[in-house]
Amino acid sequence: AGLLTDLGGQVPQHLACVLGAILFGIAAVHGRRFDGLPALVPATLTLVVGAIALLPLSLAIDRPWSLEPSRASLVALACLAVFSTAGALFLYYRILGTLGSIAAASQSYLRIVVGVAAGIVFLGETLTPERLAGIVLIVAGVVAMTWRSADRRRTVAKGASS
């Protein structure tokens, strides 16, 4: 009981985060099944299935007919939909098809580096020694994860060109 009270009563939210991480890992492994398709096809299917799954919840919880979003909110929504969601999914499936599941999964770690960089550039945050150490560790981890698969791709490419 002590563990659940330490979570602050937000157990469903924490479980949703854990489930999201699990599904993200499964997607990276099973996404290779789309190798023969252009990246746009699985990206589009992902968005359509996600919309179908979330639409009933959105209608029940958010009651969008009762909202009055500002013009700036609608522009932000459109930018998030196109760049952060559709564009990101397209790039994800492109990376998955060309570099493999390890490289595709490792790109998620690089989001942290991009977020720190964006905070420094756009929000005036400072690059502390802790942040720098974290960036170095993240980049080193991504290189370690992808190094062997990059060597394997070069070997396969050499064999194919011979």
Side-chain angles (χ1 to χ4, degrees), residues 8 16 37 44 46 57 74 77 91-92 96 109 120 140-141 151 157:
L37 299 173
T44 302
T46 301
L57 287 171
L74 293 174
L77 175 66
L91 289 175
Y92 175 78
L96 190 61
Y109 298 111
I120 291 168
D151 285 345

Side-chain angles (χ1 to χ4, degrees), residues 77-133:
L77 175 66
C79 288
L80 284 170
V82 171
F83 300 112
S84 297
T85 305
L89 273 172
F90 172 76
L91 289 175
Y92 175 78
Y93 282 109
R94 177 80 180 201
I95 291 170
L96 190 61
T98 56
L99 300 178
S101 58
I102 301 273
S106 69
Q107 59 80 31
S108 64
Y109 298 111
L110 296 175
R111 293 180 199 162
I112 299 165
V113 176
V114 172
V116 169
I120 291 168
V121 171
F122 298 114
L123 301 176
E125 294 182 6
T126 58
L127 182 60
T128 63
E130 295 86 0
R131 289 181 184 153
L132 182 59

